[in-house]
Amino acid sequence: MPNAQYEQMHLFLFVAPVGYQTAAWRHTESRVEDLYSFDLQADIARRAEAAKLHALFLADWLSFEDTGKNPDLTGYEPFTTLGALAAVTENIGLVATASTTFNEPFNLARYFSQLDFLSKGRVGWNIVTSTTGEENFTIDLPPREERYARAVEYMDVVTGLWDAWEDDAVIADRERGVWARRDKIHTLNHKGEHYRVEGPLFVPRSPQAWPVLVQAGASSSGMDFAAKFAEAVFTVKPTLESAREFYSGLATRTLEGGRAKPPIILPGLMPIVGDTEAQALEIHDSLSDLIDRETGIRRLAKHLHNADLADLDLDDRVPAERLIAPDQAEAQGAPSRYRFFHDLAVSGVTVRNLIRESSKADGHGVFTGTPVQIADHMETWFHGGTADGFAILPPTVPAGLQRFLDDVVPILQERGSFRTDYIPGTFRDNLGLERPKSPHQP
């Protein structure tokens, strides 16, 4: 039976301009020399739009990784990048990551409102509270629970600002000289524990009213936040069992919280496509071999909550005493995918293979195979109450990305599991989401 929530899957593309695999920039066909040229960014966007994908997803990092051996997965500042991409695309959604901890809510509300106008209603906001970056800002990073408490108030502020103008406030009456009715523009006058914002915004309600709200936290606090606010959730669930548990758990939290519909749940997936299964595995292994030990150890240590791995050889196993229990790690603010890597390590997986796992997709699901095998895999998850679609992590760009778009997407379309065109309207319309109603109007 098809997934009960949607008849067709949603597909977002994670924007990794040289590929999501850690050392993808070393691939002979990468365009690493063009990393910060707009030509490369526009090319990726146009390829994804031609395949009718729902959205581009831009991550963001606020801390510098210090080995200097690998370019960041994007390194792009999201707001300026989305503004530029809005001008060279027509239909695809544009999702930017922005932190509630390091952005003032009034500024963020302005940025997204303006981008929604510029894109004709195609923007989304990936809401993060941040786990790093305080070294670059004038505030200390609060503990997780406090970050999420602040984020709840933050959402009250930004949504209040987006709702300040009633939909029919602008009348553009040239004869009377009245552009907008002041009685339909409302101040916010928010005075809370963390924020004081009077409002209103300087522009009318945007085409979507609010950007599509996306979230990626997998901790208990993150899931509670997603259940309250998120309309789409990007998650790290590499196994069918863990994905099904997350899907069911988040849906339950959402409905118990009084919302009528759970968010769209999108596990990350890196598809490595080959003409044969053997060729796909060969591509997989060749990419893993591009990862140098220093970078691999550093990334693995990060996933293992800064465990001491420096003295270990690649064929060693991680001593159990260097790892803390997942529940304890979560309480200390460990990355949401700590449990996955902890369980691999205690099962006896070698450092070499742990590095391969952490570097190829940051703990996301990786599937190698022919186009038909990958399409089968995606449909198994989609029709099994496990996912509403996927956030696609291209192993390499442009080669790995184009193989997926050219060879896998058409199979999904032929089977009716993925759409063949956009529908007229906004990003919300294309996701099957309602436009938020103004609280100031019946």
Side-chain angles (χ1 to χ4, degrees):
M1 289 290 293
N3 180 289
Q5 194 171 185
Y6 298 98
E7 293 183 0
Q8 294 181 317
M9 66 179 68
H10 298 75
L11 295 179
F12 286 26
L13 175 65
F14 193 103
V15 178
V18 291
Y20 197 86
Q21 199 268 2
T22 300
W25 70 275
R26 298 178 65 189
H27 190 271
T28 56
E29 296 180 23
S30 84
R31 294 178 57 184
V32 67
E33 292 80 9
D34 301 328
L35 188 59
Y36 294 101
S37 74
F38 184 61
D39 289 345
L40 174 57
Q41 300 164 54
D43 179 55
I44 293 170
R46 291 185 179 114
R47 290 171 190 256
E49 188 169 58
K52 314 305 179 186
L53 269 56
H54 287 81
L56 301 172
F57 182 100
L58 269 73
D60 195 26
W61 286 265
L62 300 175
S63 288
F64 184 77
E65 294 190 0
D66 61 4
T67 67
K69 291 190 174 182
N70 292 283
D72 211 344
L73 287 173
T74 63
Y76 299 155
E77 192 287 309
F79 292 112
T80 52
T81 302
L82 258 58
L85 291 175
V88 297
T89 55
E90 295 181 359
N91 298 294
I92 196 165
L94 304 167
V95 180
T97 299
S99 171
T100 58
T101 301
F102 297 123
N103 287 287
E104 283 292 328
F106 186 82
N107 282 339
L108 182 136
R110 290 186 73 194
Y111 299 156
F112 275 112
S113 185
Q114 183 67 32
L115 283 170
D116 207 44
F117 277 111
L118 292 175
S119 65
K120 299 180 181 179
R122 291 189 288 127
V123 299
W125 170 27
N126 178 40
I127 308 164
V128 298
T129 63
S130 295
T131 57
T132 62
E134 64 181 337
E135 69 273 16
N136 294 317
F137 297 88
T138 324
I139 62 172
D140 293 331
L141 191 66
R144 173 181 289 164
E145 297 304 319
E146 183 181 339
R147 291 200 311 273
Y148 278 106
R150 290 171 64 97
V152 169
E153 184 182 342
Y154 194 105
M155 296 304 297
D156 290 340
V157 175
V158 294
T159 56
L161 289 168
W162 289 324
D163 287 340
W165 293 57
E166 296 183 29
D167 285 322
D168 57 354
V170 176
I171 58 175
D173 189 333
R174 289 182 171 88
E175 184 175 338
R176 290 193 297 144
V178 178
W179 175 64
R181 290 181 51 177
R182 187 63 183 85
D183 63 316
K184 289 181 174 288
I185 305 172
H186 306 272
T187 53
L188 180 63
N189 290 325
H190 177 92
K191 296 179 181 177
E193 182 179 354
H194 304 290
Y195 301 104
R196 295 190 305 276
V197 181
E198 181 176 325
L201 288 181
F202 308 144
V203 294
R205 247 180 154 219
S206 71
Q208 294 188 112
W210 305 358
V212 172
L213 302 180
V214 184
Q215 202 262 352
S219 66
S220 180
S221 299
M223 290 180 69
D224 286 341
F225 186 86
K228 185 176 179 65
F229 296 108
E231 295 170 296
V233 172
F234 174 58
T235 183
V236 183
K237 296 299 170 188
T239 66
L240 191 64
E241 181 181 354
S242 65
R244 184 175 289 121
E245 181 182 356
F246 180 85
Y247 190 97
S248 174
L250 184 55
T252 299
R253 292 189 194 210
T254 306
L255 299 176
E256 288 177 348
R259 292 175 63 188
K261 188 177 182 180
I264 297 165
I265 297 178
L266 304 166
L269 173 66
M270 179 185 288
I272 299 180
V273 188
D275 294 332
T276 64
E277 185 175 357
Q279 185 190 65
L281 290 170
E282 184 179 338
I283 295 170
H284 171 280
D285 291 344
S286 68
L287 290 173
S288 296
D289 290 342
L290 295 176
I291 303 164
D292 67 274
R293 181 186 179 280
E294 180 186 355
T295 300
I297 288 287
R298 175 177 55 82
R299 291 182 68 87
L300 177 58
K302 179 180 176 182
H303 286 305
L304 289 175
H305 197 34
N306 300 317
D308 182 11
L309 310 176
D311 63 326
L312 299 180
D313 292 329
L314 293 177
D315 294 320
D316 289 342
R317 291 168 172 77
V318 179
E321 61 270 17
R322 300 192 188 184
L323 304 172
I324 59 176
D327 291 344
Q328 182 183 355
E330 180 176 328
Q332 295 178 12
S336 59
R337 55 203 76 176
Y338 174 81
R339 183 181 297 272
F340 171 71
F341 286 102
H342 169 274
D343 291 349
L344 284 180
V346 298
S347 72
V349 174
T350 65
V351 171
R352 183 190 309 277
N353 288 324
L354 286 169
I355 287 174
R356 285 181 171 178
E357 191 65 42
S358 68
S359 299
K360 67 188 179 186
D362 262 1
H364 289 285
V366 178
F367 193 85
T368 60
T370 65
V372 169
Q373 287 175 320
I374 292 173
D376 289 345
H377 171 82
M378 295 172 70
E379 288 189 320
T380 296
W381 282 48
F382 176 64
H383 294 315
T386 303
D388 298 314
F390 299 90
I392 299 300
L393 315 167
T396 58
V397 173
L401 170 61
Q402 203 59 48
R403 282 301 305 263
F404 175 78
L405 299 178
D406 286 347
D407 298 339
V408 179
V409 170
I411 294 173
L412 297 172
Q413 291 172 327
E414 289 167 7
R415 296 177 177 180
S417 293
F418 185 63
R419 60 167 178 203
T420 57
D421 207 349
Y422 294 97
I423 63 171
T426 66
F427 184 28
R428 287 183 170 277
D429 294 328
N430 276 269
L431 292 177
L433 300 173
E434 292 185 357
R435 185 177 187 269
K437 295 179 174 63
S438 168
H440 302 294
Q441 290 179 291

